[in-house]
Amino acid sequence: MALESAGERIIAQLAELDPRVKTISAQPFSLDINTGKVFKTRRELEAARRGRKVVDALRRDYTPDLLLVLHDHTRIVVEAKDPRHLLTDPLDQAKHERAKRILAMRGDRLLLIPLQYDESTPLIHNAELLIRSLFQSVDPTVISQLSERIEAVLGDASMRLGDLMRALGLTLRDAPQLITHGAISADLSRIVLNADAPVCSARGSLSHLELLDLGEEKS
């Protein structure tokens, strides 16, 4: 995907890991906040601009960073922002609110996700570590067998990741696949995945990978 910042890349990675997310699109469309018209391609947007008396693209055109479609068909339009550069200009705020209202009428939810890129923070470190495991082939039978062994070793307890890997006859390099396939879980948003990280049996659940705050109402 064509992503414009490190923050956007991390959010896209977190979305790729998130079991609630079905599809991800980068810069999926542009919105004319004056007319409510949506342009699906750059060519459509440029043609519309040529027909304007005053282009005023900065104040008029809104292009979101990402579009996430969840498995329940919810559509979330994501704007990634460094918290140090949140919207403070009244005109920018007005543009954002106008876009939010138009998108809501279309059935889309606009969500601003603040994220400052710092590779040393647990969330970002873990996202960049885990995302690679999604593109490595894995035998589901092997994962199932390891899950049974992990359950036998851990039960309801937790253990240092390094100790668990040794008990399984594996190395730390094998841990990401066990995490992304629901064999073990960890507090990925707060603890860096290393030998000292406490982990427990996930028992097939992928809820530990729901690392994005999608603004859902909690029941």
Side-chain angles (χ1 to χ4, degrees), residues 55-118:
V55 174
D56 196 21
L58 186 62
R59 298 300 183 192
R60 182 168 177 172
D61 297 326
Y62 176 78
T63 302
D65 298 317
L66 297 164
L67 170 64
L68 309 182
V69 179
L70 308 189
H71 285 282
D72 66 2
H73 307 297
T74 299
R75 289 166 54 91
I76 301 178
V77 175
V78 173
E79 184 175 345
K81 281 288 184 184
D82 187 313
R84 297 169 298 181
H85 306 128
L86 289 177
L87 302 176
T88 55
D89 186 321
L91 292 176
D92 287 339
Q93 292 175 341
K95 178 181 177 181
H96 178 88
E97 289 303 315
R98 174 72 174 166
K100 185 175 182 178
R101 288 195 297 270
I102 293 172
L103 290 169
M105 288 188 289
R106 289 171 45 85
D108 296 346
R109 180 153 54 87
L110 178 57
L111 181 65
L112 191 151
I113 299 181
L115 180 70
Q116 181 178 342
Y117 183 83
D118 180 349

Side-chain angles (χ1 to χ4, degrees), residues 16-35:
E16 187 76 32
L17 291 164
D18 197 310
R20 297 168 295 179
V21 177
K22 183 178 181 181
T23 63
I24 310 165
S25 305
Q27 298 186 350
F29 56 79
S30 293
L31 171 68
D32 182 337
I33 66 167
N34 285 4
T35 66

Side-chain angles (χ1 to χ4, degrees), residues 1 3 7-17 24 66:
M1 291 185 289
L3 302 171
E8 289 178 32
R9 187 183 78 249
I10 293 299
I11 291 172
Q13 289 176 346
L14 292 172
E16 187 76 32
L17 291 164
I24 310 165
L66 297 164

